[in-house]
Amino acid sequence: YVAIYRFGSVVFFNISTKEASRLLEQIKKHAVHPIPVGFERREHFEMALQPQLETATGKITADRALVRELDMNTVGVVSNIMGQTVALDWHLDTVDELLRNFSDINSSVESTGNFTSMERHTLFQVVARNNSLFIEMVGKMGIKDRSDTAWHLSQYEGLHEGMRKEFDLDERFRHIEFKLNLIQQNAKFFLEVMHAQKSNTLEWVIIVLISFECVLMVMDMSGWGSKLLGI
């Protein structure tokens, strides 16, 4: 079995490493911005078949699960969790990189007191990427959604919930969410500062223009305007 998810994860069942690599290269040809070879996130999980189990699922650990049979429902539940756990690792790395970029902006502003054009551009990129990451996790990955299989077939609920608990999906998501909210709150502050600076600049431009107009009016009323302009 091979399960492909729109958020970028690919899960292989009972396929050799060589064959999985070959298939992955074929899949990447149809992907948008595929990850280069050697930089993929990988996770291994063992499915042990025990037909004598009274229930669909037996004991579940961080690297192994006992199941009665490897049917399509089992494949669907396991592949969904495995795809999500690998994707969460990638999202965590991306969020940490955003935090480093934000820290650089913060240090620069702290030392200079101003934003450069490059820092403004980087700040807007961080804000946009921050928003898209959260949308990807909640929308594409469905990290907070319950498995349709576990919802409709109660015998697979133990497998779904057991794997979510072993891979600590909820806590890892909260950890990433905390970092995203931290970036968002600090970005909001910097955007408000930039808006205030722009407003101050516009106010000074208006003051200068009004002052220039007043000077011209006084010169015209006093007659100095005609003398200076030779009229």
Side-chain angles (χ1 to χ4, degrees), residues 1 6 35 63 75 93 136 147 165 205 210 212-213 220:
Y1 297 101
R6 61 175 181 166
I35 298 175
D63 56 3
V75 169
D93 289 344
E136 285 175 9
S147 167
K165 182 178 179 180
V205 170
I210 293 175
F212 184 69
E213 185 178 358
D220 183 59

Side-chain angles (χ1 to χ4, degrees), residues 39-123:
F39 291 91
E40 303 97 342
R41 282 281 183 176
R42 298 178 183 270
E43 187 78 42
H44 298 278
F45 191 73
E46 180 182 346
M47 303 294 297
L49 300 181
Q50 286 196 354
Q52 67 272 22
L53 287 175
E54 295 181 359
T55 58
T57 308
K59 184 178 180 181
I60 300 173
T61 64
D63 56 3
R64 188 170 186 253
L66 301 180
V67 295
R68 185 166 54 192
E69 60 178 333
L70 192 62
D71 57 9
M72 288 303 298
N73 291 321
T74 302
V75 169
V77 171
V78 174
S79 63
N80 184 57
I81 298 298
M82 295 305 298
Q84 288 178 342
T85 189
V86 172
L88 276 180
D89 285 341
W90 181 85
H91 280 75
L92 179 59
D93 289 344
T94 305
V95 172
D96 287 339
E97 183 179 354
L98 290 180
L99 278 174
R100 287 192 293 271
N101 292 338
F102 201 87
S103 178
D104 292 340
I105 296 174
N106 191 63
S107 298
S108 177
V109 174
E110 183 180 2
S111 60
T112 64
N114 292 307
F115 287 97
T116 64
S117 59
M118 181 63 70
E119 288 166 348
R120 290 190 180 93
H121 179 69
T122 302
L123 179 60

Side-chain angles (χ1 to χ4, degrees), residues 189-204:
F189 168 75
F190 281 126
L191 291 173
E192 289 175 351
V193 171
M194 290 172 59
H195 178 71
Q197 289 178 343
K198 186 175 182 180
S199 297
N200 290 337
T201 301
L202 291 174
E203 288 175 0
W204 277 108

